[in-house]
Amino acid sequence: MKKIALITRNRIFAQSVAMIIEKYTDLEFEMHILQNQLQAVLDAQILSIDVAVLELFSHFPEHIEIAIGICKGLRESLPSCRILLIAPQDNDDIRNLAVNSVALHTVDDYVFYDVSLDYLLAKLLSM
């Protein structure tokens, strides 16, 4: 069973993704929604997650700093945890952050909001 944590402040998005993924019982994913970003790393440690899916929702510097801090905290405390960013494709700053984060090995990969569910599930399976 692969433990996946969706780290986001967007409750509708998180619940929707979790409900859809839970319908695919053959995938053997255990979904967790972590909405308190300031506590996300600790929650991920307690749950021993395998994959963290982190939503980059804002271009505000303080939100970006929190997201990068979460990624670094996950790398440090759960080195085997894979990190996937979900980013808006129409925001140059966030898109560049996602690309640079992969290049710097802060995260493992990223997808955009407009990917299909099949693609997202395939990406999670590969991680």
Side-chain angles (χ1 to χ4, degrees):
M1 178 82 49
K2 188 180 287 192
K3 293 181 184 180
I4 301 172
L6 183 55
I7 303 170
T8 178
R9 294 183 351 174
N10 186 334
R11 187 175 298 211
I12 293 172
F13 171 73
Q15 288 177 342
S16 299
V17 170
M19 282 179 19
I20 290 168
I21 288 176
E22 286 174 3
K23 291 188 185 283
Y24 290 88
T25 55
D26 57 323
L27 295 178
E28 297 186 6
F29 288 161
E30 181 180 316
M31 291 296 299
H32 300 275
I33 299 171
L34 307 181
Q35 289 192 278
N36 184 344
Q37 292 184 321
L38 299 177
Q39 189 175 316
V41 174
L42 178 60
D43 290 342
Q45 286 176 302
I46 291 169
L47 295 167
S48 298
I49 63 166
D50 301 302
V51 179
V53 180
L54 179 64
E55 178 191 20
L56 292 176
F57 63 92
S58 169
H59 66 279
F60 293 114
E62 60 272 11
H63 294 157
I64 291 173
E65 287 177 28
I66 290 171
I68 295 301
I70 290 170
C71 294
K72 289 179 179 178
L74 289 169
R75 280 281 186 244
E76 195 174 293
S77 62
L78 292 168
S80 64
C81 177
R82 304 293 303 249
I83 303 170
L84 177 69
L85 297 179
I86 297 181
Q89 62 277 2
D90 58 351
N91 183 313
D92 291 340
D93 293 335
I94 300 276
R95 189 173 57 245
N96 291 334
L97 174 67
V99 171
N100 291 335
S101 294
V102 172
L104 295 171
H105 304 289
T106 306
V107 302
D108 296 293
D109 210 346
Y110 66 92
V111 296
F112 294 124
Y113 280 119
D114 68 348
V115 299
S116 69
L117 178 60
D118 289 335
Y119 185 84
L120 178 60
L121 292 176
K123 183 63 73 175
L124 291 174
L125 278 171
S126 73
M127 297 189 95

